Amino acid sequence: MASNLSTAAAAASAPEAVAREHNLPALVFGVLLIVVIICGNMLVCLSVFSEKALKTTTNYFIVSLAVADLMLAVLVLPLFVYSEFEGGVWTLSTTVCDGLMTMDVMLCTASIFNLCAISIDRFIAVLIPLNYNRKHVDLRQTVLLSATWILALAVASPVMFGINNVPGRDPTECKLENDDYVLYSSVCSFFIPCPIMLFLYCGMFRGLRRWEEARKAKLRNSIQACRKLQEAAASLPPLASLPPPLPPIIERELTDTPDDQDRPFNPSVYIDGPVRTVSLAEIKFNPEPRRRKTAKINSRERKAMKVLPVVVGAFLFCWTPFFVLHTLRARCQDCNVPPAMMSVVTWLGYVNSAINPIIYTVFNTEFRNFFKKFLRGCCSKSAR
């Protein structure tokens, strides 16, 4: 690997060197990828802020994830695509490279931290439902969203402070130069959040399964109670053979409160006084006044929860190869990681930013309906 780098550096520095071959497929694919990421994630943001059905706390976290993907497409991918088009040789200044590495680390970290924040938010919603606010973003959710970006910036900040300026740095290659920082950023950005996220999702779905089982048991009990009432009603005598209703004076005595039973009997109350009628609106039922309030998870939230594991699975599929090879290349000096393989896993990681809007479209009805309506409106306007 070192010999390859030195050969590339010599070719770049030699004035009479043969011109590099430009990677045209990388340029075409990169431009298409940038367009798809920008359009898809902008649609996600527009749908959440314009559709009332999509204004949920979970979707605000999804908007934060979409913003990270948008910033990646605008600030990172153009320079990365340019470098790939130049055959992997960095022709710009090292200062621009450091800025690119800072944004790359920060936005990739922000993406996984957003997914981790979503898992924490969903865990609270399922396991502690009475303390969860489903209508508005409360203080806890604001802290989660803010911490996502602050921690991501903290992980990337050493690059801004010059940790990439190591002795003997090759100016024709743009990468993280400090091997210790590579390990630190990989652990903070990927290897710690992923197990936490998976653990929280396992706990969330166990709680959701228990909630579903309790709901089905309650429904079965209600059905059995209705059947017993129907059987009891069927065994009653017909209405014609029922005894006549009690006179009002006797009915009132039967419904007297304990305080009224201690009072002396006064016939004038029943004979001379008018009989008061009670309307149905005045009757208030409170069968269990001390019953504990329980929070319910509606069908829309259950559908949203089923989308999130797909998003997490796609993220792990796209980024795990990169972080494994990235860490391996930094810690194992004798391991030969081909540059072509590193380029492929980096592209795979960036493709993840374009996958999320597709996942929402396939698995979420509200997102799908908005996308169809928006695209239909755009096509009708262009036809005019």
Side-chain angles (χ1 to χ4, degrees):
M1 182 178 175
S3 61
N4 292 338
L5 292 178
S6 60
T7 303
S13 59
E16 302 297 331
V18 180
R20 292 184 303 272
E21 292 185 2
H22 292 300
N23 192 345
L24 189 60
L27 177 64
V28 174
F29 180 75
V31 172
L32 289 175
L33 183 62
I34 291 172
V35 171
V36 171
I37 292 174
I38 292 176
C39 293
N41 287 284
M42 281 187 68
L43 278 176
V44 170
C45 297
L46 284 173
S47 61
V48 173
F49 288 115
S50 60
E51 288 291 317
K52 186 177 180 181
L54 290 171
K55 289 183 179 180
T56 64
T57 51
T58 301
N59 288 341
Y60 286 127
F61 284 95
I62 289 176
V63 167
S64 180
L65 179 62
V67 169
D69 291 335
L70 275 172
M71 293 177 67
L72 185 78
V74 174
L75 300 176
V76 174
L77 274 178
L79 291 175
F80 173 76
V81 171
Y82 172 76
S83 175
E84 289 292 301
F85 176 68
E86 291 290 332
V89 179
W90 185 255
T91 59
L92 303 177
S93 68
T94 56
T95 304
V96 176
C97 174
D98 290 345
L100 173 63
M101 289 295 101
T102 301
M103 297 306 300
D104 193 12
V105 172
M106 188 186 79
L107 296 175
C108 292
T109 305
S111 294
I112 194 167
F113 281 3
N114 272 299
L115 291 173
C116 202
I118 291 173
S119 66
I120 295 172
D121 180 72
R122 292 291 85 198
F123 183 83
I124 295 172
V126 174
L127 275 298
I128 321 173
L130 290 177
N131 296 331
Y132 186 79
N133 186 357
R134 288 176 168 79
K135 296 181 179 180
H136 307 286
V137 177
D138 60 13
L139 179 61
R140 181 185 59 249
Q141 291 152 352
T142 304
V143 169
L144 272 176
L145 283 169
S146 303
T148 293
W149 290 93
I150 293 172
L151 290 175
L153 180 60
V155 172
S157 60
V159 183
M160 292 189 300
F161 295 125
I163 200 172
N164 233 22
N165 294 325
V166 297
R169 176 179 180 178
D170 185 1
T172 64
E173 187 177 13
C174 184
K175 64 183 182 68
L176 294 175
E177 301 289 343
N178 189 299
D179 292 339
D180 293 333
Y181 176 74
V182 169
L183 180 64
Y184 159 77
S185 61
S186 299
V187 168
C188 293
S189 303
F190 189 80
F191 292 111
I192 288 179
C194 282
I196 294 174
M197 185 167 52
L198 294 175
F199 173 78
L200 290 174
Y201 272 115
C202 289
M204 181 191 77
F205 279 100
R206 275 203 301 267
L208 194 61
R209 192 181 302 115
R210 286 196 298 268
W211 183 87
E212 286 282 357
E213 291 172 356
R215 186 180 67 87
K216 291 178 181 178
K218 187 177 179 181
L219 183 61
R220 284 195 298 267
N221 293 337
S222 301
I223 293 173
Q224 291 174 0
C226 290
R227 287 175 179 171
K228 288 180 181 179
L229 286 175
Q230 289 174 351
E231 293 172 0
S235 63
L236 290 175
L239 292 176
S241 61
L242 290 177
L246 295 173
I249 184 171
I250 301 176
E251 192 172 5
R252 177 167 179 175
E253 281 193 356
L254 291 176
T255 58
D256 276 345
T257 61
D259 292 338
D260 293 334
Q261 292 175 1
D262 295 336
R263 295 176 184 173
F265 177 73
N266 187 2
S268 62
V269 175
Y270 303 99
I271 299 173
D272 299 330
V275 179
R276 182 177 179 270
T277 59
V278 181
S279 65
L280 186 61
E282 296 180 65
I283 302 175
K284 296 181 180 179
F285 289 94
N286 191 11
E288 296 182 30
R290 295 184 181 179
R291 185 179 178 182
R292 186 183 175 186
K293 294 181 179 180
T294 58
K296 296 182 179 179
I297 304 172
N298 55 36
S299 59
R300 184 177 295 164
E301 282 188 305
R302 291 199 300 274
K303 290 179 182 178
M305 290 179 186
K306 292 176 182 178
V307 177
L308 297 177
V310 182
V311 176
V312 174
F315 185 91
L316 294 178
F317 174 79
C318 292
W319 280 109
T320 300
F322 170 81
F323 279 101
V324 170
L325 290 180
H326 190 52
T327 307
L328 181 66
R329 188 174 67 168
R331 304 311 300 173
C332 180
Q333 301 297 331
D334 298 330
C335 299
N336 183 23
V337 180
M341 182 181 293
M342 203 65 209
S343 178
V344 168
V345 296
T346 306
W347 277 109
L348 181 62
Y350 291 144
V351 165
N352 177 252
S353 298
I355 289 178
N356 289 338
I358 299 173
I359 294 174
Y360 306 144
T361 305
V362 173
F363 290 92
N364 191 296
T365 307
E366 283 83 8
F367 276 112
R368 184 166 62 249
N369 292 338
F370 176 83
F371 290 173
K372 286 180 180 179
K373 182 174 66 175
F374 183 85
L375 294 175
R376 197 180 296 119
C378 291
C379 292
S380 62
K381 288 180 181 179
S382 61
R384 294 173 189 174

